[in-house]
Amino acid sequence: PAYQNLRQKVDNFVSTHLDKQEWNPAMNKNQLRNGLRQSVIQSGMLEAGVDRIISQVVDPKLNHIFRPQIERAIHEFLAAQKKEESVPAPPPEPENKDPPAPSQDAS
């Protein structure tokens, strides 16, 4: 319902905006389109509508669908990290401060 409501509001807003425009074949369509886009954004209806969609669709699913999946992913990640910490790291390579001496072949 929130999506349909938002879509109807935007459609009505666009129709009203275009009704106020006097059409001229020489008009720059991109400027007209950008002006319309800016008007829709500045009206704030998209932001409010998206918030309503989230509260109707996402919020009810948050605790029983998303939260268990997020918790499972976190537990798996932490278990993998703990496993990596328990595996001993290989001993560090000894540092040679002197470069290796060139070998002299007798051949």
Side-chain angles (χ1 to χ4, degrees):
Y3 171 77
Q4 291 168 340
N5 187 21
L6 176 60
R7 182 176 175 147
Q8 185 177 12
K9 279 184 180 181
V10 171
D11 285 346
N12 289 339
F13 186 90
V14 169
S15 293
T16 303
H17 182 83
L18 292 177
D19 285 343
K20 293 177 185 175
Q21 299 292 321
E22 192 170 318
W23 175 246
N24 176 351
M27 289 178 82
N28 185 327
K29 292 178 187 174
N30 285 331
Q31 283 181 337
L32 181 63
R33 192 176 299 126
N34 287 335
L36 176 57
R37 184 178 297 121
Q38 288 301 318
S39 296
V40 169
I41 291 170
Q42 289 173 355
S43 74
M45 82 175 83
L46 287 180
E47 190 173 332
V50 169
D51 286 345
R52 272 190 235 101
I53 291 171
I54 289 172
S55 67
Q56 279 188 4
V57 176
V58 176
D59 288 350
K61 296 178 181 177
L62 188 63
N63 284 328
H64 71 280
I65 293 176
F66 297 135
R67 187 180 197 127
Q69 291 180 8
I70 292 169
E71 287 176 352
R72 189 176 328 110
I74 291 171
H75 287 296
E76 289 172 3
F77 175 77
L78 292 175
Q81 288 244 322
K82 194 172 185 179
K83 189 182 281 187
E84 285 178 10
E85 289 174 3
S86 66
V87 173
E93 301 256 344
E95 292 184 25
N96 288 339
K97 292 186 180 182
D98 297 328
S103 61
Q104 294 179 351
D105 264 339
S107 319

